[in-house]
Amino acid sequence: MLVLSRKKGQSIMIGNDIEISIIDIQGEQVRIGINAPRNVKVYRKEVYEEIIKENREAAIIDVNPELIRGIKIIKNGNHEDSEGKE
Amino acid sequence: MQLNTKHFGIIEVDEKETLYFPSGIPGFEDVKKFVLLGRQEVESPFFWLQSIDKPDLAFVVTDPFYIREDYYVDVDDEEVEEIEIKDPENVLTLAIVTIPENIRQMTVNLKAPVLINMKNNMGKQVIMKDDTFPVKYYIMTGGSEPPR
């Protein structure tokens, strides 16, 4: 990993079109500005990792498809309730 | 084409029904081809996004608009460029369901829906920037709180 030291107001270029700027530093928190082409998706790492984790959990299905098919969602105003049916 | 699946045994899949996910889905980037199973069965809100490349892999999915009537998908056009969405009318929106051992704790991922362009059978899981809808939406409580 390349490690660079930057001060507030300074930035880093990644290739020709991605700029990472240090906007502000307050104690342990750093505000970062990102200028990148619109097709470059920028996520907080934990958000992306959360989706990966959720997908992995969802992929482990040990429940019989017949049981899943039997689950009914009973709508009650804005709230839903579900009931497992064998 | 025949597929030997974990949950449904050997099934016949029509090539025309194959869904292509150019980027796979997060955590399963190598898995590009899927097929929807059980969608015609109207009595159940749940159906399956079955992988073709990896027959052991299947996700339970549901219609997020059925789960939450006020649901909406808000993503940049660039995010869906890859699957060439031109008309939102042709998009099928699915939410992945996580079913833990305790089935009452089942959740639906409303933050990262799967969008399928029905015109070209291309799909992608997108991640919404805002936090209106949670990754773990508990069907039982109708919110982010697990049932007691």
Side-chain angles (χ1 to χ4, degrees):
Chain A
M1 186 195 282
L2 171 69
V3 179
L4 298 170
S5 291
R6 300 274 68 193
K7 290 181 173 140
K8 183 176 157 181
Q10 294 182 327
S11 56
I12 295 165
M13 290 299 297
I14 299 174
N16 298 319
D17 47 15
I18 300 176
E19 182 181 9
I20 313 281
S21 313
I22 307 305
I23 307 287
D24 198 11
I25 304 164
Q26 297 278 344
E28 293 224 316
Q29 192 141 18
V30 182
R31 281 172 64 80
I32 295 171
I34 300 153
N35 252 321
R38 296 200 66 177
N39 63 344
V40 175
K41 289 292 129 205
V42 180
Y43 299 108
R44 289 178 177 88
K45 188 179 177 184
E46 60 270 26
V47 171
Y48 198 70
E49 284 181 339
E50 190 185 7
I51 302 300
I52 289 177
K53 183 169 167 275
E54 193 63 25
N55 284 343
R56 291 200 174 131
E57 272 178 45
I60 308 162
I61 314 164
D62 279 326
V63 185
N64 181 327
E66 286 311 313
L67 180 62
I68 295 169
R69 258 193 266 258
I71 299 169
K72 298 266 187 290
I73 297 172
I74 299 151
K75 298 216 169 192
N76 188 359
N78 289 324
H79 297 281
E80 292 94 35
D81 206 300
S82 77
E83 183 183 70
K85 234 176 66 172
E86 299 284 337
Chain B
M1 173 186 30
Q2 278 201 340
L3 206 61
N4 189 1
T5 68
K6 180 179 171 189
H7 300 286
F8 304 98
I10 295 170
I11 54 162
E12 188 65 38
V13 176
D14 189 339
E15 290 279 356
K16 286 190 297 249
E17 290 173 12
T18 302
L19 305 173
Y20 182 65
F21 284 58
S23 313
I25 72 163
F28 300 89
E29 286 79 2
D30 299 339
V31 184
K32 316 262 189 204
K33 286 182 182 170
F34 290 89
V35 63
L36 284 176
L37 299 178
R39 196 175 153 228
Q40 280 72 30
E41 286 158 53
V42 285
E43 70 273 18
S44 171
F46 302 105
F47 42 103
W48 279 261
L49 187 63
Q50 166 71 50
S51 160
I52 292 175
D53 309 303
K54 220 177 151 191
D56 279 358
L57 179 68
F59 296 95
V60 176
V61 291
T62 190
D63 173 2
F65 297 98
Y66 181 78
I67 301 294
R68 276 274 298 253
E69 272 157 31
D70 60 349
Y71 190 68
Y72 60 83
V73 178
D74 180 15
V75 287
D76 296 339
D77 290 348
E78 286 73 17
E79 183 106 1
V80 292
E81 218 165 53
E82 186 180 283
I83 57 169
E84 299 160 15
I85 291 176
K86 291 189 179 76
D87 184 357
E89 290 276 299
N90 300 322
V91 178
L92 174 68
T93 306
L94 305 173
I96 298 179
V97 183
T98 302
I99 305 173
E101 244 173 89
N102 177 356
I103 206 160
R104 283 165 48 86
Q105 306 260 5
M106 74 194 286
T107 58
V108 181
N109 183 349
L110 296 180
K111 188 180 171 75
V114 172
L115 305 182
I116 293 167
N117 181 352
M118 299 303 273
K119 281 280 176 202
N120 61 10
N121 280 359
M122 286 169 87
K124 184 179 180 163
Q125 185 177 29
V126 296
I127 305 172
M128 284 196 256
K129 284 206 180 94
D130 69 54
D131 291 323
T132 311
F133 301 110
V135 173
K136 280 192 183 291
Y137 179 87
Y138 289 87
I139 294 180
M140 277 291 278
T141 59
S144 303
E145 292 301 314
R148 270 169 288 157

